Amino acid sequence: MTLPRQAQPRIPARPTPSSGFMFAFAWLACVVGLIATYYYFVQTTTGQFVDESALVEAVDIHGPAGKAATEFLDWLPTISLVMAAVVVLFVTLIRRRWSAAGIAVTACIGANIATQVLKETLPARPDMGVLTLELNSLPSGHTTLAASAAAAVFLMASPRWRPLAGFVGGTFAIASGVSTLINQWHRPADVVAAFLLVGAFMIPAGWLIMRNGGAWNVWDGFGTHVGSAKIWLTLPVVIGLASAGVAVYSLARIAPGPLQEDSTTNYFWAGISLIVIAGYLATVATTALFAYAARRRDSPGR
């Protein structure tokens, strides 16, 4: 006998079957990227030179921009913690997503602890003939804090709000990373390493949330809500491509050849571009990954 519709047993929704492989691949990409970033920018002469040159050239634009960056960095811990706390508490209390909150907060704390552990345990920069401070500054603690707070908000958001949350959070994390370079607190590689480290913690956390929160991880797809408009994927792609153009132009001006010139800010702008490209690439990839994994309302069997 068929039960009445309202009495039918509720089958919990799950992420799309193949999304587990995609999450595993994304996590592996973060780990490999983190190792490669450390090796190239710390253990090779070319990497050290490029990284250090971007930091040194930040002096030439340190003025009003530096003052603004300092004020932003002074407020960054407070902004990050308040932003994450307000959203996580609101969603937890109103939507009762208790397990998701616990997973997101644990991953956020883990990423920040891991950053401090790596800064203390990784070997000092080897002497590769580049004039630089030997102490290890990778990954950037300020960037990790900003990126992990933004990631926690992203994980707690409903699928229809995640594209917007990803763009805003990614922009916030990028701004924090750029500010540390302008203020000469960190090299570009330190910022990129922070992005990758946060991804290594938040992607597994996201998979657990998708597995345990299938009932609310459903949506109608892109373009059906202001928070899931396609512009939130288009904007970071456009900005990333523009940044790639800036990086190519800046490095081409100092490349060996008849038109080679002495660099005053070219390495700096290339470093800024690297931060922007890495940040928005992570934003687009993460948003697309979670969009793929979330169930469609009109496809319960997908």
Side-chain angles (χ1 to χ4, degrees):
M1 183 178 67
T2 303
L3 294 173
R5 182 176 181 83
Q6 62 271 21
Q8 288 282 356
R10 187 167 176 270
I11 301 174
R14 295 295 184 195
T16 53
S18 59
S19 61
F21 170 79
M22 299 301 294
F23 273 85
F25 179 81
W27 175 83
L28 183 61
C30 288
V31 173
V32 172
L34 179 60
I35 295 172
T37 299
Y38 171 77
Y39 176 77
Y40 180 73
F41 287 102
V42 175
Q43 298 292 335
T44 70
T45 303
T46 303
Q48 276 197 12
F49 178 76
V50 171
D51 214 22
E52 187 66 23
S53 296
L55 184 69
V56 170
E57 290 182 356
V59 177
D60 291 334
I61 69 160
H62 194 86
K67 183 180 293 185
T70 300
E71 293 179 358
F72 176 69
L73 291 172
D74 287 341
W75 280 97
L76 181 63
T78 302
I79 294 172
S80 300
L81 293 175
V82 169
M83 174 184 68
V86 168
V87 173
V88 170
L89 284 175
F90 174 81
V91 174
T92 302
L93 295 176
I94 300 300
R95 302 297 184 183
R96 300 186 181 280
R97 297 172 188 168
W98 304 101
S99 62
I103 294 169
V105 171
T106 300
C108 184
I109 294 173
N112 284 276
I113 291 176
T115 290
Q116 299 307 317
V117 170
L118 286 178
K119 288 167 75 74
E120 293 297 327
T121 58
L122 286 176
R125 288 176 174 257
D127 184 2
M128 308 295 291
V130 178
L131 185 60
T132 179
L133 293 176
E134 293 183 356
L135 60 87
N136 176 53
S137 59
L138 181 151
S140 164
H142 276 75
T143 305
T144 299
L145 179 60
S148 61
V153 172
F154 177 87
L155 294 181
M156 291 296 294
S158 298
R160 65 178 182 173
W161 284 108
R162 281 191 182 129
L164 173 59
F167 176 72
V168 174
T171 302
F172 177 68
I174 290 168
S176 69
V178 168
S179 296
T180 62
L181 177 57
I182 292 175
N183 220 37
Q184 296 180 287
W185 288 11
H186 283 286
R187 304 167 181 86
D190 300 343
V191 176
V192 174
F195 291 156
L196 293 167
L197 179 65
V198 170
F201 275 83
M202 290 302 185
I203 287 173
W207 172 240
L208 289 175
I209 288 174
M210 297 294 287
R211 292 286 297 175
N212 295 299
W216 58 271
N217 275 291
V218 292
W219 69 327
D220 298 314
F222 286 105
T224 57
H225 184 267
V226 64
S228 55
K230 292 183 179 180
I231 188 67
W232 307 126
L233 278 182
T234 304
L235 272 177
V237 170
V238 171
I239 298 172
L241 290 174
S243 298
V246 172
V248 170
Y249 175 76
S250 299
L251 294 176
R253 295 180 65 183
I254 52 179
L259 300 179
Q260 183 179 11
E261 61 180 47
D262 292 333
S263 176
T264 55
T265 59
N266 291 307
Y267 283 111
F268 169 79
W269 289 115
I272 292 290
S273 299
L274 176 63
I275 293 172
V276 174
I277 293 168
Y280 279 135
L281 177 61
T283 297
V284 172
T286 303
T287 301
L289 174 62
F290 278 79
Y292 174 75
R295 293 275 185 177
R296 292 292 190 95
R297 295 185 198 279
D298 57 353
S299 302
R302 174 170 169 262

